[in-house]
Amino acid sequence: MFKFNYAFYIEVDVNGKQRPFITFSHGENYKHLGNLAFGRMSKSVRIKEILSEIGNVLTDEKEEYQFAGDDWCIVNFKKDKSTITNGVFDSFEPFEMDSNLILRLMQDWYKFLLTWENGEIPGITYSPAKGGFV
């Protein structure tokens, strides 16, 4: 049986800088999706925008929507199957996955980021000035 397992964490360096990240426990290709936590993708406001665009695809307002945290992992979201590619590096072969899995990942990531940004993770005091390595 297929498992799409992931977890979210906050990394805190010695200077107090914080970085949210995603890990995957199964599937060699899925580890590349961890790059979706980079750059603007580490802010809930950006994920909310992406979820809105995904919604436009699911309601047939758009045929597809592309998003990425960096050039390492680019998602071309379509209603049924999404394609994951590697921008300029060609470090892995493009692969497809069920778009519902990408949707669930982005919804869960959004909830996690909101929890972090609202200071609701025990032991972590969110500070916008220390809110990531971007």
Side-chain angles (χ1 to χ4, degrees):
M1 182 175 176
F2 172 77
K3 290 195 175 204
F4 185 57
N5 294 324
Y6 48 85
F8 307 125
Y9 298 93
I10 299 297
E11 176 183 80
V12 181
D13 77 4
V14 71
N15 297 315
K17 282 192 172 184
Q18 300 173 7
R19 179 181 75 92
F21 66 98
I22 307 170
T23 62
F24 295 85
S25 61
H26 291 86
E28 182 64 23
N29 279 333
Y30 300 125
K31 70 180 180 182
H32 302 296
L33 294 169
N35 285 53
L36 294 177
F38 289 166
R40 290 182 40 222
M41 299 282 290
S42 67
K43 306 290 185 220
S44 67
V45 67
R46 175 66 181 134
I47 304 307
K48 185 176 182 179
E49 293 169 357
I50 288 170
L51 288 170
S52 176
E53 294 293 337
I54 286 173
N56 290 336
V57 173
L58 296 174
T59 59
D60 295 321
E61 293 177 50
K62 284 186 166 184
E63 186 176 320
E64 61 187 63
Y65 176 67
Q66 190 174 82
F67 60 93
D70 60 13
D71 283 342
W72 189 265
C73 179
I74 301 165
V75 176
N76 189 30
F77 188 92
K78 293 185 179 180
K79 193 169 189 173
D80 295 318
K81 292 282 183 189
S82 292
T83 305
I84 293 42
T85 60
N86 186 254
V88 296
F89 302 108
D90 293 329
S91 295
F92 64 86
E93 290 294 318
F95 63 96
E96 283 190 337
M97 60 187 296
D98 188 314
S99 291
N100 286 326
L101 296 174
I102 295 291
L103 173 60
R104 188 181 83 205
L105 173 65
M106 290 293 97
Q107 289 170 331
D108 290 348
W109 182 236
Y110 178 68
K111 290 176 198 169
F112 177 78
L113 290 174
L114 282 178
T115 301
W116 174 50
E117 292 166 0
N118 289 326
E120 298 171 355
I121 297 177
I124 301 288
T125 302
Y126 175 77
S127 169
K130 296 180 180 180
F133 305 121
V134 287

